[in-house]
Amino acid sequence: MDVVTGRVRAAQNAVARISVAPLLVRAGIFVTVFAGFALAFPAEALSGRTILFLAVAALLPAVGPRRVWATFTALVTVGGWLLATDGYGRPVALWRLLAIAALLYLGHTLCALAALLPYDAVVDPELITRWLLRSAAVLLGTAVLGVLLLQVSDTGGETGYQWVTVLGLLVAVGTAALLGWLLRRR
């Protein structure tokens, strides 16, 4: 019984020490992931039980950002988008695709920030602002590059999509190889 009361007291102590900045980052994770779910899933599939499941799923990476929950929610978001486009026949809209990609990235980067911040950390607001500004710059660059590549793919007719896809795959593999080489160089 002493073990249980000790754990309850430790939990109460941890809750009492929570500071505002890490709590806001975790709230941002929940809002971002849930917004991604709302954009990805078709409106017909969002009923009472599904919304409850998605709310709990969006809460998981906010509570445990160092765990597998960020990847799980990204896969659920992609699954919802595939369900909407293939299962319900929703057309692929560029704005929705860019918004879902941006929310996936923002949720991922907020999980990375939350994983670094203990619950009781005293954080300068400038740190979070700089983190979000860097994320916004990455999102803007990615969106511009994605739209430009989409325009290039339209000039090639039916085969344009295939070579752009192969080019994107080569860029992704090259980036991963470069990062691996840079890590080994240390």
Side-chain angles (χ1 to χ4, degrees):
M1 189 65 167
D2 289 335
V3 173
V4 174
T5 57
R7 287 184 187 226
V8 169
R9 284 189 186 138
Q12 288 173 342
N13 187 23
V15 168
R17 293 181 56 182
I18 292 176
S19 62
V20 176
L23 196 60
L24 285 177
V25 170
R26 290 168 192 269
I29 292 170
F30 173 77
V31 169
T32 302
V33 170
F34 195 73
F37 288 159
L39 269 177
F41 278 87
E44 300 87 6
L46 295 176
S47 63
R49 287 185 183 177
T50 308
I51 288 287
L52 180 64
F53 167 73
L54 293 177
V56 169
L59 189 62
L60 291 174
V63 173
R66 290 186 182 129
R67 303 199 185 269
V68 71
W69 300 121
T71 304
F72 171 73
T73 55
L75 291 175
V76 169
T77 304
V78 171
W81 184 77
L82 288 174
L83 175 71
T85 55
D86 290 340
Y88 285 86
R90 183 166 64 184
V92 177
L94 180 62
W95 71 268
R96 187 181 310 253
L97 189 61
L98 288 175
I100 290 171
L103 289 171
L104 282 171
Y105 176 75
L106 193 57
H108 172 76
T109 192
L110 285 175
C111 280
L113 178 61
L116 294 174
L117 295 176
Y119 281 104
D120 59 349
V122 177
V123 179
D124 186 13
E126 186 178 333
L127 173 95
I128 296 173
T129 304
R130 284 186 295 166
W131 189 283
L132 292 176
L133 284 175
R134 285 183 192 146
S135 299
V138 168
L139 288 173
L140 180 65
T142 303
V144 168
L145 184 62
V147 170
L148 288 176
L149 285 176
L150 187 64
Q151 291 299 324
V152 168
S153 71
D154 282 343
T155 62
E158 292 296 317
T159 60
Y161 289 112
Q162 194 172 36
W163 74 267
V164 170
T165 304
V166 171
L167 179 66
L169 181 62
L170 290 175
V171 168
V173 169
T175 303
L178 176 66
L179 289 173
W181 177 74
L182 288 172
L183 284 175
R184 273 189 244 120
R185 207 174 74 153
R186 280 188 184 182

